[in-house]
Amino acid sequence: MDGVDVCANNKQKPNQMLPNKMRGEFTRNQRKDSEGLSEAPDLEFEYSDADKWSCELSELYSYTEGPEFLLNRKCFEEDFHTHMPSKKWTEVDTAQHRAHAMRLLDGLDVIGRERRLKVARAILYMAQGTFGECSSEPEVQHWMRYNIFLLLDVGAFTALVELLNMEIENSAACSSAVRKPAISLADSTDLRVLLNIMYLMVETIQREEPTDTPEWRSIRETFKSELGSPLYNHEPVSVMLFGMVTKFCSGHAPHFPMKKVLLLLWKTVLFTFGGFEQLQSSKVSKRLALGLPPLPEDSIRVVRRMRAASPPASASDLIEQQQRRARREHKALIKQDNLDAFNEKDPYKADDAREDDEENDDNDNSMEAEPFPLERDEVMPPPVPHPPSERVCFPKGLPWAPKVREKDIENFLESSRSKFIGYTLGNDTDTVVGLPRPIHESIKTLKQHKYVSIAEVQIAKEEEYQKTPLSGGEEELELCATELLYQGILPSLPQYMIALLKILLAAAPTSKAKTDSINILADVLPEEMPTTVLQSMKLGVDVNRHKEIIVKAISAILLLLLKHFKLNHVYQFEYMAQHLVFANCIPLILKFFNQNIMSYITAKNGISVLDFPHCVVHELPELTAESLEAGDNNQFCWRNLFSCINLLRILNKLTKWKHSRTMMLVVFKSAPILKRALKVKQAMMQLYVLKLLKVQTKYLGRQWRKSNMKTMSAIYQKVRHRLNDDWAYGNDLDARPWDFQAEECALRANIERFNSRRYEKNQSHPEFLPVDNCLQSVLGQRIDLPEDFQMNYDLWLEREVFSKPISWEELLQ
């Protein structure tokens, strides 16, 4: 048998077969060459609730809508100069501003659609900052804030919600759109104008500025509470927007501008619920209220301090390095280098998204070739300079404090008692009689790191309510924005989740166009299709950008809802998560990542000179095919990296502590897909990829672990440790057969009991209802009789009482 087969059979790397001295030289040279791959700087990306205000404003509009900016200005100036000739909006006083805003609102009440649309466009121009009288972008943004707070103060948002509701119910527009073979931008004009104003109002008001007056701060808080409560049309605005999403996906309203609906829905949820910083502070206060110990660390700060690990080198890069070494080194080493090259993958294979095929993933040593910088100091890339306020010096040691669940302590004690004493004590975690001294120390260490989550407390309370429905007392229900939204979407939550995932599938770059897929481009395609190459290129950029923004909005909506529902009550989270799993969310996200993820994150689908407000303040240069191809100079696309991190976090939320769902990751062969995502040098994204790899490591087999030791090392360094969790070893106990249906059915039964107990007040179990058996109180109840009965009371007495003989003897018996 030749040397290659021996290497394959022994599962050894080629350099392990060299003599010790030569092996050391080989490894040193390999490290030197791999340093070139490590020099790529970390992506300077800071994760937050949303992008910069200017970017969030520009993403509302597609480039096809560009000509409408001047149309809005024309509608406003015609109306304004009719009442105030030869005056400018920026020159008149506050009283006149207010009077004109009230006049425009009155114009929304007219019956004529054309007149109403003109007034709506004039209001939109106000919300866009009356840019015709501004000379710079900051000036436009200043007038935007002023005008939007003015519009909110005079009651514009309520009028807009009523108009939007009327447009949603407009059956003529829906039936016309259904019959059309091709839907374009013109079919959704009225809806787009209304949604634009509402989005600008929500997005602008939610952003706090140091210069805001106390009056504006008060208006913001009032608007926030109103937006999350059922004041508008007897339901939260978010529920109405969810209804638009399902109506669009059902095919009854294909003209709905779905990107704008989803953006407004995201910003409404973000404003009413609060972002990730508020979520963290709410979690801290809730733990305090429940009497739980404080969190071991602030997870947001820990993640921000993390450094990215070097991405794994591709097989073709390694071959190139070996070929370069072969030309430099002595002839004695050339033979060995050729042996190494033979054992690697095909050097001429393109470095595309599928270079790590599932078939040869087990034998892929690409992660071995380049050590993670956290493991070997000598290959650490040069540190990127950061402002001292943003980056804190990272402490030595592991970033996360380890955690232990009560269940883990119980399992450890049970196994120890069985081994040393021969009997068990159930849930007793205090008795340590008869156990050796080292076991005592182990239990002490485990208890020091015990972590009780809010979810565990909520589950225990729910079990108590179910056991004692009468004596358990009434549950105190806090009607916060999260609770109100859950009550609003509860009846149709499965349909909402399916609709969001349908749109996400249609917007994913890996999706192929199908005849039965929904058309999400209704609010980006022009009436007349492009006739020149330049127009086609511009539309192509616009379509790709449009899809990216939809993915960004949906990923943010799902993540916000999951996290806030989990904090409010764990069974609300489980209900939503289960329906996402039933709607194939897990394979959908894996399909999304089964692409060249670096290309997606560095995509340049944007034309900065056409972005609002730049396009309305500056003269537009002449666009050329070269300028469109070049794109901007950014290192990465913020929205795409934001979307990827959100989708990974959603996948983590769905699979955490769920054995059957973790096995779905294994069955769908997610390991090679996730490993490719490690090439993105961004610490937060790598953290969530490593978390997903950690939960399935023990099921991937010994050979996979052996071939991916650098991935294992990165998991150890970056992901939180659960004491007693042997994630790196495949124990027979944990590699148990999985019954997806049984686990999900048990969870579903608990969720249904929770929803029934808490929200189905009219369908209480008849055995648990109090019975009034006091004759005096029953006869003393006042019963309202209908008028016709009261008028014919004498006839009823005669027919039903006096004319019927009563046999008292039978009655007494």
Side-chain angles (χ1 to χ4, degrees):
M1 189 176 288
D2 58 18
V4 177
D5 288 334
V6 169
C7 180
N9 289 339
N10 292 340
K11 303 294 183 187
Q12 284 183 312
K13 294 182 68 177
N15 68 323
Q16 290 172 335
M17 299 170 60
L18 292 168
N20 287 338
K21 185 177 177 182
M22 293 173 69
R23 189 190 309 163
E25 187 177 348
F26 180 86
T27 308
R28 277 195 298 276
N29 288 332
Q30 188 179 13
R31 285 180 193 160
K32 281 179 186 175
D33 285 339
S34 68
E35 281 179 12
L37 291 167
S38 301
E39 286 170 4
D42 294 4
L43 298 183
E44 286 299 300
F45 171 85
E46 186 160 336
Y47 185 87
S48 62
D49 298 322
D51 204 349
K52 297 192 296 288
W53 188 37
S54 57
C55 296
E56 295 295 341
L57 295 179
S58 68
E59 289 180 355
L60 174 64
Y61 311 101
S62 60
Y63 297 141
T64 320
E65 291 178 88
E68 294 189 14
F69 289 123
L70 293 178
L71 184 57
N72 300 339
R73 177 180 175 180
K74 181 184 174 187
C75 291
F76 174 83
E77 289 178 348
E78 282 179 2
D79 190 81
F80 183 69
H81 291 149
T82 304
H83 298 93
M84 299 181 193
S86 68
K87 285 190 178 181
K88 287 186 175 182
W89 176 261
T90 53
E91 294 172 354
V92 298
D93 59 22
T94 307
Q96 290 173 307
H97 286 156
R98 191 177 183 85
H100 188 69
M102 297 284 283
R103 208 163 25 242
L104 287 176
L105 279 187
D106 292 340
L108 287 178
D109 290 336
V110 297
I111 297 173
R113 178 176 290 274
E114 290 296 323
R115 170 64 187 153
R116 200 165 60 234
L117 180 59
K118 278 190 174 181
V119 174
R121 284 195 180 279
I123 293 173
L124 176 56
Y125 178 70
M126 277 181 67
Q128 289 170 340
T130 51
F131 52 78
E133 301 171 27
C134 302
S135 57
S136 66
E137 292 181 37
E139 193 179 353
V140 172
Q141 292 175 357
H142 163 76
W143 281 103
M144 276 185 72
R145 289 187 72 79
Y146 173 82
N147 293 344
I148 282 171
F149 274 99
L150 173 66
L151 286 169
L152 184 64
D153 197 29
V154 298
F157 198 83
T158 308
L160 292 167
V161 171
E162 290 174 2
L163 277 177
L164 180 62
N165 202 41
M166 192 173 75
E167 288 297 331
I168 294 169
E169 302 299 328
N170 186 350
S171 55
C174 292
S175 56
S176 169
V178 169
R179 287 195 300 271
K180 277 192 176 182
I183 299 168
S184 68
L185 207 63
D187 297 299
S188 59
T189 305
D190 293 356
L191 279 166
R192 282 189 295 105
V193 171
L194 296 175
L195 289 166
N196 281 346
I197 304 169
M198 293 171 73
Y199 176 87
L200 290 174
M201 290 181 77
V202 173
E203 171 61 19
T204 304
I205 291 164
Q206 72 152 336
R207 297 211 175 226
E208 297 185 29
E209 295 286 341
T211 54
D212 288 350
T213 62
E215 184 187 358
W216 281 11
R217 294 178 195 278
S218 172
I219 289 173
R220 177 185 293 111
E221 290 305 313
T222 306
F223 182 50
K224 180 179 178 179
S225 61
E226 287 178 354
L227 204 58
S229 58
L231 287 182
Y232 303 107
N233 201 31
H234 307 296
E235 61 184 9
V237 174
S238 305
V239 177
M240 182 174 71
L241 296 172
F242 267 120
M244 289 184 76
V245 174
T246 48
K247 193 170 183 181
F248 171 80
C249 285
S250 65
H252 297 311
H255 64 299
F256 280 1
M258 207 29 57
K259 183 189 84 174
K260 296 181 191 295
V261 172
L262 291 167
L263 283 173
L264 179 56
L265 176 57
W266 168 34
K267 291 305 168 71
T268 305
V269 171
L270 178 61
F271 185 30
T272 53
F273 285 15
F276 298 113
E277 296 276 358
Q278 293 97 314
L279 188 74
Q280 186 74 7
S281 60
S282 300
K283 194 174 180 180
V284 169
S285 57
K286 193 153 191 173
R287 288 185 67 85
L288 190 65
L290 291 171
L292 296 173
L295 293 166
E297 70 276 296
D298 185 340
S299 57
I300 296 174
R301 290 186 181 181
V302 173
V303 172
R304 281 179 182 164
R305 290 200 304 256
M306 276 191 175
R307 291 279 305 279
S310 289
S314 67
S316 54
D317 288 339
L318 298 178
I319 300 299
E320 279 182 29
Q321 293 168 19
Q322 290 161 0
Q323 289 172 346
R324 283 201 304 272
R325 278 199 303 276
R327 288 192 292 270
R328 286 198 310 265
E329 294 175 349
H330 193 264
K331 287 184 179 181
L333 280 177
I334 292 177
K335 292 178 182 178
Q336 184 62 46
D337 280 343
N338 289 338
L339 176 64
D340 296 347
F342 190 82
N343 274 279
E344 295 289 348
K345 292 184 187 176
D346 181 3
Y348 304 107
K349 183 175 178 182
D351 182 19
D352 66 355
R354 288 156 190 82
E355 67 189 7
D356 294 332
D357 285 328
E358 287 82 348
E359 293 83 13
N360 55 21
D361 185 72
D362 285 349
N363 297 322
D364 177 22
N365 295 324
S366 63
M367 294 288 283
E368 290 288 314
E370 183 189 355
F372 279 80
L374 290 175
E375 189 176 8
R376 297 187 185 277
D377 292 334
E378 60 265 30
V379 295
M380 182 77 79
V384 181
H386 297 292
S389 59
E390 291 181 10
R391 299 278 179 176
V392 184
C393 185
F394 196 76
K396 290 186 177 180
L398 298 172
W400 305 98
K403 286 181 180 178
V404 183
R405 295 182 298 170
E406 182 76 23
K407 186 180 175 184
D408 298 329
I409 300 175
E410 289 174 10
N411 290 340
F412 176 73
L413 268 169
E414 289 296 282
S415 61
S416 300
R417 286 171 185 148
S418 299
K419 182 177 179 181
F420 293 105
I421 306 174
Y423 65 88
T424 59
L425 293 174
N427 296 334
D428 184 353
T429 57
D430 297 320
T431 306
V432 290
V433 176
L435 296 174
R437 193 73 191 164
I439 301 294
H440 292 204
E441 294 296 324
S442 300
I443 294 165
K444 184 181 176 184
T445 305
L446 289 172
K447 287 187 175 180
Q448 280 175 350
H449 293 93
K450 188 171 85 165
Y451 176 78
V452 180
S453 66
I454 294 172
E456 288 175 278
V457 176
Q458 290 170 340
I459 289 171
K461 282 187 177 180
E462 183 60 27
E463 287 175 357
E464 195 64 31
Y465 283 127
Q466 297 291 350
K467 283 179 186 175
T468 56
L470 295 177
S471 60
E474 282 291 320
E475 182 183 10
E476 292 181 12
L477 204 60
E478 184 189 354
L479 291 177
C480 58
T482 312
E483 182 63 37
L484 290 169
L485 180 61
Y486 183 77
Q487 291 179 12
I489 67 173
L490 177 60
S492 305
L493 188 139
Q495 289 85 350
Y496 296 152
M497 295 304 106
I498 291 168
L500 286 176
L501 293 183
K502 269 188 177 180
I503 299 171
L504 181 62
L505 177 63
T510 50
S511 297
K512 295 179 174 62
K514 294 179 182 176
T515 51
D516 59 339
S517 63
I518 51 178
N519 177 22
I520 56 170
L521 304 177
D523 52 334
V524 70
L525 296 176
E527 284 186 89
E528 297 178 1
M529 294 308 286
T531 53
T532 66
V533 174
L534 186 64
Q535 288 175 343
S536 299
M537 287 180 69
K538 181 184 165 187
L539 183 60
V541 169
D542 206 2
V543 166
N544 290 336
R545 174 177 176 267
H546 181 82
K547 289 182 175 180
E548 290 172 2
I549 295 167
I550 286 177
V551 172
K552 171 187 173 182
I554 292 178
S555 67
I557 290 166
L558 292 176
L559 182 61
L560 277 171
L561 290 177
L562 285 170
K563 288 189 77 68
H564 280 278
F565 283 158
K566 187 169 187 181
L567 183 61
N568 196 49
H569 199 289
V570 66
Y571 280 135
Q572 294 177 350
F573 158 80
E574 294 290 5
Y575 185 53
M576 177 180 168
Q578 191 167 62
H579 281 291
L580 285 173
V581 172
F582 290 163
N584 284 333
C585 184
I586 291 175
L588 171 55
I589 294 176
L590 292 175
K591 180 179 180 179
F592 179 90
F593 279 97
N594 195 21
Q595 58 170 314
N596 189 336
I597 206 70
M598 276 303 296
S599 297
Y600 183 71
I601 281 168
T602 55
K604 297 183 184 298
N605 290 313
I607 309 168
S608 55
V609 293
L610 296 181
D611 286 340
F612 178 86
H614 184 280
C615 63
V616 294
V617 175
H618 301 93
E619 288 290 328
L620 292 183
E622 186 179 352
L623 292 174
T624 61
E626 291 75 20
S627 65
L628 289 182
E629 278 183 358
D632 52 33
N633 297 321
N634 292 334
Q635 186 189 16
F636 57 89
C637 177
W638 196 97
R639 65 171 166 266
N640 289 357
L641 192 44
F642 177 75
S643 303
C644 288
I645 292 174
N646 286 345
L647 290 171
L648 287 169
R649 294 182 76 180
I650 291 165
L651 204 51
N652 269 288
K653 286 277 174 202
L654 297 182
T655 54
K656 190 175 181 181
W657 303 122
K658 302 287 189 300
H659 177 64
S660 58
R661 297 179 193 173
T662 302
M663 293 308 295
M664 286 175 72
L665 292 177
V666 179
V667 168
F668 289 128
K669 296 184 178 177
S670 64
I673 297 170
L674 294 169
K675 240 182 70 178
R676 282 197 294 271
L678 285 173
K679 292 182 180 178
V680 180
K681 284 197 71 177
Q682 205 285 322
M684 190 173 187
M685 181 164 169
Q686 286 185 345
L687 172 67
Y688 289 107
V689 171
L690 292 170
K691 279 186 172 186
L692 288 165
L693 286 170
K694 178 186 175 182
V695 295
Q696 55 178 315
T697 299
K698 66 177 76 170
Y699 309 114
L700 294 175
R702 185 179 175 188
Q703 183 54 44
W704 188 93
R705 296 196 291 273
K706 188 177 176 183
S707 303
N708 294 277
M709 284 309 294
K710 294 303 179 287
T711 307
M712 302 287 283
S713 174
I715 292 170
Y716 177 85
Q717 290 160 343
K718 289 178 172 293
V719 183
R720 187 192 301 279
H721 287 270
R722 295 273 174 176
L723 300 182
N724 273 12
D725 177 18
D726 52 350
W727 59 271
Y729 318 101
N731 271 3
D732 292 335
L733 177 70
D734 290 314
R736 61 192 185 278
W738 55 293
D739 186 350
F740 178 84
Q741 200 167 8
E743 287 188 31
E744 294 296 340
C745 284
L747 178 61
R748 189 172 188 174
N750 289 336
I751 295 167
E752 286 179 352
R753 280 196 293 269
F754 164 77
N755 284 335
S756 175
R757 179 192 65 80
R758 199 187 244 200
Y759 302 112
E760 295 180 12
K761 297 295 182 186
N762 298 329
Q763 299 176 8
S764 300
H765 199 287
E767 292 182 8
F768 296 151
L769 291 175
V771 178
D772 187 358
N773 51 19
C774 175
L775 190 62
Q776 191 174 359
S777 66
V778 170
L779 293 175
Q781 287 178 2
R782 179 176 177 80
I783 297 173
D784 293 326
L785 300 170
E787 286 186 15
D788 56 341
F789 181 81
Q790 292 180 30
M791 290 173 64
N792 300 301
Y793 182 58
D794 294 338
L795 292 173
W796 181 85
L797 277 176
E798 184 65 37
R799 188 179 69 244
E800 298 293 333
V801 182
F802 301 144
S803 62
K804 289 193 174 180
I806 299 173
S807 177
W808 296 102
E809 290 80 6
E810 290 182 15
L811 186 64
L812 289 172
Q813 288 174 1

